[in-house]
């Protein structure tokens, strides 16, 4: 059986279709797929999500079928990591299961949300070839249609804008180091997704990724959540509990909304970062813990440090590598890509087949300011899938009708606004001296006068020095 990319031609030397077989089963559980190869399938064996993504990213426009053998070897955590591969637009997934696994809710949810079909294994090779053929055909249609889910920038992060390309390059570099990472960005931009991508591509990927939202836990409980406690440490502590830091040992600890961490806990966290060990509440033993810290917040930490709400020494410990998650409104055509992904992801929740977005919806998507960023966009599309009356999603379905009242600016309007701003800034820099303004802007004085008159601009008279009387 080929491993990760070895290909075999189909009958009569014709290049076959691509099939990824994902399994962690023992020798008795791995399917013998020689008959499927004889039917014209190029077989790739992939034991984990990184192997699958490596195969898919070789040619994002090439369709694949994928058989995910769930009979053994995959925990619920393992399946959660497959999100990026399961959502890729150039692959059609088929689940292979034992009949009793249909009683397992996570398995049922995975099949319902991501797979075109499922099979009870083992099964006749002719049946298997037919089912994976249907999945491959659907992936082919998606590739022909140019679905955006195949354009993931890094580990499932959707985006081709310059800001996202820069972020993805930085994430790849950060994954190769052990330095603490700080991710800044507005609410809903995907900071936890970026943190998980760094972890999955680091040398710690086989160890736990533990996340804690520092802003969602009462201040009175944050110490015990981070550091754990011993039995009898306080009323109600009936048994020892490990803290999130200790649970992440050898892996990655993601501290979301670190800006909301109270000062007392900031001091304890700083002590851990300096010493590499913790002490559970009610205990006296120093417990060594090896974790990589990734933190994030939507707050301005520089301002928080200046105002005394965040410790400067902790800030410098956490912000060794600083990443900026771009807001959705600055990502241009990524808005269309993410909207299309959300439509495909949740299309089964509606009562009809939706064909896409109406022109008014696309205009609304680009004129809205997206204060909730990617999270808001996905939620609005999901709501629209359920509420839409027609075959196309409209601006009204997205509940951003107000965008229609303000049409997008014309090229002349954009040019006029830029011209006015340039003249105003130059007048300010040159203190109203028109000769210097004209020289700086590269136009004649006559042209400058004409533009100022057109835009109703007036030069401020330069200040004259006061007369000095000499006695």
């Amino acid at each position: 059986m080929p491993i990760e990319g070895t290909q075999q031609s189909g009958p009569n030397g014709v290049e076959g279709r691509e099939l990824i077989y994902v399994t962690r089963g023992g020798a008795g559980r791995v399917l013998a797929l020689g008959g499927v190869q004889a039917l014209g399938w190029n077989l790739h064996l992939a034991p984990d999500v990184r192997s699958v993504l490596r195969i898919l990213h070789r040619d994002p426009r090439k369709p694949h079928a994928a058989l995910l053998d769930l009979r053994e070897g995959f925990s619920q955590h393992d399946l959660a990591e497959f999100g990026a591969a399961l959502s890729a637009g150039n692959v059609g997934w088929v689940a292979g299961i034992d009949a009793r696994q249909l009683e397992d809710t996570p398995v049922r949810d995975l099949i319902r949300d991501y797979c075109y079909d499922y099979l009870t294994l083992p099964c006749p090779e002719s049946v298997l070839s037919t089912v994976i053929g249907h999945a491959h055909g659907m992936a082919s249609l998606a590739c022909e249609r140019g679905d955006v889910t195949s354009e993931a920038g890094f580990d499932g992060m959707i985006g081709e804008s310059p800001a996202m390309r820069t972020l993805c390059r930085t994430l790849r570099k950060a994954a190769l180091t052990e330095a603490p990472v700080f991710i800044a960005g507005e609410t809903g931009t995907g900071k936890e997704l970026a943190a998980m991508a760094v972890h999955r591509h680091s040398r710690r990927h086989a160890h736990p990724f533990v996340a804690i939202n520092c802003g969602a836990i009462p201040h009175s409980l944050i110490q015990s959540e981070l550091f754990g406690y011993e039995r009898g440490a306080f009323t109600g502590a009936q048994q020892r509990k490990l803290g999130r830091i200790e649970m992440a040992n050898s892996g990655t600890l993601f501290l979301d909304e670190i800006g909301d961490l109270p000062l007392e806990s900031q001091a304890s966290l700083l002590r851990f970062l300096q010493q590499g060990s913790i002490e559970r509440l009610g205990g006296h033993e120093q417990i060594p813990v090896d974790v990589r810290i990734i933190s994030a917040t939507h707050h301005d930490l520089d301002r928080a440090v200046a105002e005394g709400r965040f410790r400067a020494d902790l800030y410098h410990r956490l912000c060794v590598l600083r990443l900026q998650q771009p807001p959705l409104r600055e990502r241009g055509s990524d808005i269309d890509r993410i909207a299309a992904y959300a439509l495909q992801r949740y299309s089964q929740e509606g009562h009809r087949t939706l064909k896409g977005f109406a022109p008014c919806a696309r205009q609304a998507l680009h004129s809205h300011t997206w204060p909730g960023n990617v999270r808001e966009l996905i939620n609005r599309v999901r709501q629209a899938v359920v509420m839409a009356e027609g075959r196309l999603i409209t601006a009204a379905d997205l509940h951003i009708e107000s965008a229609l009242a303000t049409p997008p600016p014309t090229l002349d309007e954009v040019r006029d606004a830029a011209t006015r701003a340039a003249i105003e800034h130059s007048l300010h820099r040159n203190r109203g001296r028109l000769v210097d303004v004209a020289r700086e802007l590269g136009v004649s004085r006559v042209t400058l006068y004409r533009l100022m008159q057109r835009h109703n601009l007036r030069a401020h008279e330069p200040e004259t020095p006061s007369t000095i009387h000499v006695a």
Side-chain angles (χ1 to χ4, degrees):
M1 182 178 294
I3 304 296
E4 275 195 54
T6 303
Q7 298 184 355
Q8 296 184 3
S9 297
N12 304 320
V14 178
E15 185 179 350
R17 295 169 292 178
E18 306 300 319
L19 171 62
I20 304 171
Y21 178 36
V22 186
T23 180
R24 284 185 183 171
R29 286 290 218 176
V30 176
L31 294 177
L33 298 178
V36 173
Q37 289 178 281
L39 293 173
W41 290 94
N42 297 326
L43 189 60
H44 311 268
L45 184 64
D48 54 35
V49 66
R50 296 182 70 181
S51 302
V52 175
L53 290 173
R54 192 178 299 116
I55 295 168
L56 294 178
H57 288 170
R58 288 173 188 162
D59 187 351
R61 294 300 182 183
K62 190 171 189 177
H64 296 70
L67 175 62
L68 178 58
D69 193 338
L70 296 172
R71 291 177 297 169
E72 68 180 30
F74 291 102
S75 66
Q76 188 170 348
H77 176 72
D78 294 331
L79 293 178
E81 289 190 336
F82 269 83
L86 291 168
S87 301
N90 61 332
V91 59
W93 286 92
V94 174
I97 61 171
D98 286 329
R100 66 179 184 276
Q101 286 184 285
L102 286 178
E103 300 174 4
D104 190 351
T105 299
V107 172
R108 289 203 312 269
D109 291 345
L110 183 144
I111 294 173
R112 182 196 65 205
D113 292 342
Y114 295 105
C115 297
Y116 288 107
D117 207 344
Y118 70 93
L119 292 163
T120 301
L121 298 178
C123 69
E125 290 175 337
S126 59
V127 175
L128 175 59
S129 181
T130 299
V131 174
I132 61 178
H134 290 161
H136 186 276
M138 296 301 292
S140 299
L141 292 175
C143 290
E144 292 173 4
R145 203 168 56 233
D147 278 355
V148 300
T149 49
S150 65
E151 296 179 351
F154 177 60
D155 203 45
M157 299 177 68
I158 299 170
E160 292 293 322
S161 64
M164 282 302 294
R165 289 180 182 274
T166 299
L167 175 66
C168 291
R169 285 196 300 269
T170 309
L171 288 173
R172 289 187 179 94
K173 294 177 181 178
L176 300 176
T177 74
E178 286 291 296
V181 176
F182 173 71
I183 306 173
E186 299 177 7
T187 299
T189 52
K191 296 187 290 294
E192 183 167 357
L193 183 62
M196 292 178 67
V198 171
H199 169 74
R200 283 196 291 262
H201 289 263
S202 72
R203 69 172 182 83
R204 299 175 179 265
H205 68 272
H207 300 284
F209 175 88
V210 178
I212 180 171
N213 189 324
C214 302
I217 300 175
H219 288 187
S220 58
L221 300 179
I222 190 70
Q223 286 284 101
S224 60
E225 283 293 323
L226 282 174
F227 301 98
Y229 53 80
E230 300 285 356
R231 178 180 178 180
F234 50 83
T235 303
Q238 301 297 326
Q239 59 185 0
R240 172 187 291 173
K241 177 184 175 181
L242 300 184
R244 302 293 182 92
I245 295 177
E246 195 170 353
M247 290 168 62
N249 191 29
S250 299
T252 302
L253 177 67
F254 177 53
L255 299 171
D256 198 8
E257 298 303 342
I258 188 71
D260 293 322
L261 195 67
L263 285 171
E264 177 188 358
S265 300
Q266 291 178 31
S268 301
L269 179 60
L270 177 63
R271 189 179 307 114
F272 160 67
L273 293 176
Q274 292 172 334
Q275 299 178 354
S277 62
I278 64 168
E279 186 177 297
R280 301 189 193 106
L281 297 183
H284 304 286
E285 178 187 3
Q286 290 293 321
I287 304 167
V289 180
D290 172 30
V291 299
R292 183 187 191 177
I293 301 293
I294 302 179
S295 56
T297 187
H298 71 280
H299 294 296
D300 184 346
L301 275 195
D302 293 293
R303 171 185 279 185
V305 169
E307 295 176 352
R309 294 182 287 107
F310 200 87
R311 294 179 62 111
D313 44 7
L314 178 60
Y315 171 81
H316 295 301
R317 283 272 184 175
L318 295 174
C319 298
V320 177
L321 298 177
R322 183 184 179 102
L323 311 181
Q324 183 68 43
Q325 197 83 14
L328 184 59
R329 60 184 174 274
E330 296 178 2
R331 292 176 55 183
S333 60
D334 284 352
I335 294 174
D336 298 306
R337 293 184 173 90
I338 298 169
Y341 161 79
L343 176 59
Q344 183 187 38
R345 173 71 174 81
Y346 296 109
S347 58
Q348 76 278 358
E349 295 186 357
H351 304 295
R352 66 193 62 80
T353 301
L354 294 171
K355 297 177 65 176
F357 296 88
C360 63
R362 294 200 177 278
Q363 177 183 325
L365 287 171
H366 285 275
S367 58
H368 189 56
T369 57
W370 298 113
N373 291 290
V374 177
R375 185 184 296 120
E376 179 189 356
L377 172 56
I378 291 176
N379 288 341
R380 283 185 182 272
V381 173
R382 187 176 186 181
Q383 172 186 262
V385 166
V386 177
M387 304 303 296
E389 298 290 341
R391 299 292 297 277
L392 294 174
I393 292 177
T394 66
D397 297 327
L398 294 168
H399 286 195
I400 44 180
E401 307 96 314
S402 59
L404 300 180
T406 306
T410 65
L411 186 59
D412 285 340
E413 290 172 340
V414 172
R415 187 183 297 112
D416 287 345
T419 300
R420 179 185 177 90
I423 295 174
E424 285 182 327
H425 294 157
S426 185
L427 285 169
H428 178 73
R429 284 192 298 272
N430 292 287
R431 301 177 63 188
R433 294 186 294 271
L434 299 185
V435 175
D436 295 335
V437 171
R439 183 184 301 111
E440 181 179 278
L441 297 177
V443 298
S444 67
R445 292 182 65 181
V446 174
T447 300
L448 177 61
Y449 292 145
R450 178 173 54 79
L451 290 173
M452 291 177 61
Q453 186 176 15
R454 176 180 175 181
H455 294 290
N456 196 27
L457 293 173
R458 298 180 60 186
H460 297 289
E461 291 296 329
E463 297 178 6
T464 57
S466 301
T467 302
I468 301 176
H469 298 280
V470 181

